[in-house]
Amino acid sequence: MVGCAAPVASTPTPGAGQVELVWLGQSAFKITSPGGKVIVTDPWLRTDPRTPAPYKQLEHFGRIDVLLVSHGHFDHIADAPALAQMYRVALRAPGDLNNTLMTLGVLPPDLLPRMNKGGTIEPATGVKVTAVHAEHSSIYVWRNPGTAKDEVHPGGEPVGWIIELENGFRIYHAGDTAVFSDMRYIGERYRPDLALVPIGGNFTMDPADAAYAVKELIRPKVVIPMHYGANPIAKGTAKEFVDATSASAVRVIVAEPGVALKF
Ligand SMILES: [Zn+2]
């Protein structure tokens, strides 16, 4: 191995090198599929201190084919309505959250298709997305322009996502979640090549719980930690997660915001 600057998976994965993934901070990722489809998850970009500067300009994406939001909390949905409008791409989120967005007039109905846990859709040709359980909560806080006050609206049930690309490469984006025993089902049913798991603690799994989930339940080939480093009360660190997953067959990649990883 010469000049191996970026961390790469040591285990063979389907379609090696054809999938590009860029962490944009918190739970936001830009995933480019082997067929060139651009998938964006949980876009909190313009005010996330960890988002790389180019991605704070929403025009930087150029195109978005699939836009996924796991639940209604600000650090997951913040820039999603603006991206949906800019790229005329449907916002895929828990159906009841989309109902709230529709009722409030945040987006027009054609950008708010409904789905729910267990549902599988093909939002772009060859890209399949399944909503799975997440053990968390969801509200949508909306600033009422008439009163200039914040209102709390139903945010639906939070979800995680199974994203299957054209070549069969499967990504499990866990959303915000605690450990739950059906992570074993998700691992056995979908056999993810790559898992993206929250490790910050306080609101989600901490590094120890996330390591348990990955080693004992999900068992992906590769895991990337997310949802840490942006909020001082979510104290979990990548080093703690790496240490807790040592002596495991799962390869841990600590992504740097803005640095493209290939699978
Ligand atoms: Zn949340």
Side-chain angles (χ1 to χ4, degrees):
M1 298 278 282
V2 177
C4 188
V8 294
S10 59
T11 48
T13 50
Q18 298 177 47
V19 180
E20 184 186 276
L21 179 141
V22 183
W23 187 38
L24 304 178
Q26 202 72 334
S27 303
F29 290 87
K30 178 192 176 198
I31 301 160
T32 307
S33 76
K37 302 290 194 312
V38 175
I39 300 146
V40 173
T41 66
D42 285 3
W44 173 39
L45 305 169
R46 287 180 288 193
T47 58
D48 178 357
R50 300 207 66 184
T51 299
Y55 290 96
K56 289 180 181 291
Q57 309 296 324
L58 302 185
E59 299 81 4
H60 184 71
F61 288 92
R63 67 181 284 177
I64 297 177
D65 301 283
V66 181
L67 179 58
L68 303 176
V69 169
S70 61
H71 63 294
H73 291 155
F74 180 80
D75 57 328
H76 298 259
I77 197 172
D79 294 303
L83 289 172
Q85 289 275 21
M86 183 176 290
Y87 294 101
R88 299 304 297 170
V89 60
L91 195 164
R92 310 285 176 171
D96 295 350
L97 173 57
N98 275 11
N99 252 45
T100 287
L101 299 174
M102 197 181 307
T103 305
L104 295 173
V106 173
L107 283 171
D110 63 309
L111 295 180
L112 293 169
R114 280 174 52 79
M115 69 180 299
N116 214 323
K117 293 177 193 173
T120 297
I121 58 171
E122 189 171 345
T125 304
V127 176
K128 293 184 187 136
V129 173
T130 303
V132 295
H133 183 73
E135 192 64 36
H136 192 60
S137 67
S138 182
I139 56 170
Y140 184 70
V141 178
W142 180 69
R143 174 65 55 90
N144 185 328
T147 62
K149 289 185 175 163
D150 283 345
E151 299 174 356
V152 174
H153 292 269
E157 290 258 333
V159 302
W161 302 105
I162 300 292
I163 306 163
E164 182 177 330
L165 306 179
E166 298 96 330
N167 61 349
F169 190 87
R170 287 198 192 116
I171 300 165
Y172 169 38
H173 186 298
D176 273 3
T177 189
V179 184
F180 57 97
S181 57
D182 274 359
M183 283 177 167
R184 184 186 302 281
Y185 155 75
I186 290 170
E188 290 176 357
R189 171 71 177 83
Y190 298 103
R191 301 197 176 283
D193 297 286
L194 169 64
L196 312 172
V197 299
I199 66 157
N202 196 85
F203 306 102
T204 69
M205 301 188 287
D206 64 9
D209 275 347
Y212 176 87
V214 164
K215 290 191 291 188
E216 304 294 335
L217 303 175
I218 308 167
R219 299 172 189 255
K221 294 189 179 80
V222 184
V223 63
I224 294 175
M226 65 177 182
H227 209 272
Y228 68 97
N231 185 327
I233 63 172
K235 298 182 192 303
T237 67
K239 182 177 186 313
E240 290 169 332
F241 180 65
V242 169
D243 290 347
T245 44
S246 63
S248 143
V250 182
R251 167 86 163 143
V252 182
I253 297 179
V254 178
E256 284 294 319
V259 176
L261 299 164
K262 302 270 192 183
F263 295 91

